[in-house]
Amino acid sequence: MMSLTAWFSVFLICLLGAATPGPSLAIVMRNCVHRSRTHGLVASWCHALAIGLYALAAILGLGLVIQKYPTVFQGIMYLGAAYLVWLASKALRAGKSGFSLEKNGDPEPLTKAMVEGSTIVFLNPKIALFFTALFSQFIYPDMPWQVVAILVATVTIVDGCWYTLVSLVLSHHGLLPWLQRHGHWIDRITGVVFLLVAVRVVLQ
């Protein structure tokens, strides 16, 4: 079985990875501020489940397959970059009216948060390579399924709990009104983040 020291190493690396600002944080932030706390939580846990699937795929060798077929990897990267550009265009075109303290009309379906939270993961093949590099230090031949389950559960729970904390902080009744009043600037910032990540993907 996995030693406590090895598990803690995986836990710490996953926590640092989740806490690193990037497109995932921007997605959760927009769902919290633009929609609701529930949307933010749904996006957080759909993101976490997608991360868990990526971790499982990496353990089973998907990351090595992507490395072996660079054209597939490149195609997924470009598809991800195009998706980020599309998200950036939506964010940059959003006006002040997109953030209202009054909830008018029917709330947006939670499926939007589900799709955004998971898609941002699946269109980032670098996550598969990250997990391949990470797990290569801890996996071994004939590794029992219990250890695989522990690794995947750790990745999923750490990611989900981190973005749950982010969602709860962002949607706090003392902070949310301020965020909503300045929501158009949040859109601008997240749009720029998406564009910068897309440019980096294409250039690399």
Side-chain angles (χ1 to χ4, degrees):
M1 294 294 289
M2 172 176 278
S3 68
L4 182 60
T5 302
W7 176 84
F8 185 74
S9 298
V10 173
F11 169 83
L12 186 60
I13 293 172
C14 291
L15 180 60
L16 293 174
T20 302
S24 298
L25 176 62
I27 285 290
V28 172
M29 179 181 290
R30 291 200 72 233
N31 271 279
C32 285
V33 178
H34 188 49
R35 291 166 180 158
S36 70
R37 171 183 289 181
T38 302
H39 285 80
L41 292 173
V42 169
S44 299
W45 282 100
C46 286
H47 183 277
L49 291 174
I51 284 287
L53 288 175
Y54 240 145
L56 178 60
I59 293 174
L60 298 178
L62 178 59
L64 296 177
V65 172
I66 293 176
Q67 285 181 306
K68 187 175 180 180
Y69 300 99
T71 54
V72 174
F73 176 70
Q74 191 175 43
I76 298 175
M77 278 202 308
Y78 288 147
L79 184 62
Y83 178 68
L84 288 173
V85 170
W86 178 73
L87 288 177
S89 67
K90 288 182 61 179
L92 292 172
R93 286 187 286 108
K96 291 185 179 181
S97 59
F99 291 84
S100 174
L101 295 175
E102 300 294 331
K103 299 296 183 182
N104 299 318
D106 296 328
E108 293 194 51
L110 292 175
T111 51
K112 288 190 175 182
M114 295 172 62
V115 170
E116 290 182 1
S118 56
T119 304
I120 201 68
V121 175
F122 289 127
L123 290 180
N124 188 358
K126 290 188 176 182
I127 294 177
L129 298 180
F130 166 77
F131 283 137
T132 300
L134 170 62
F135 293 139
S136 66
Q137 309 301 313
F138 302 99
I139 61 178
Y140 48 88
D142 301 322
M143 186 170 63
W145 67 266
Q146 293 94 333
V147 177
V148 175
I150 289 172
L151 289 172
V152 173
T154 299
V155 170
T156 304
I157 293 172
V158 167
D159 190 84
C161 288
W162 171 258
Y163 284 113
T164 293
L165 177 62
V166 170
S167 299
L168 294 177
V169 170
L170 291 176
S171 58
H172 187 270
H173 64 84
L175 180 62
L176 184 59
W178 185 89
L179 290 173
Q180 289 177 320
R181 284 195 300 270
H182 298 85
H184 58 292
W185 288 112
I186 294 175
D187 263 345
R188 303 295 187 273
I189 293 171
T190 55
V192 171
V193 170
F194 289 148
L195 282 177
L196 290 176
V197 174
V199 169
R200 186 185 66 181
V201 168
V202 172
L203 292 180
Q204 289 182 348

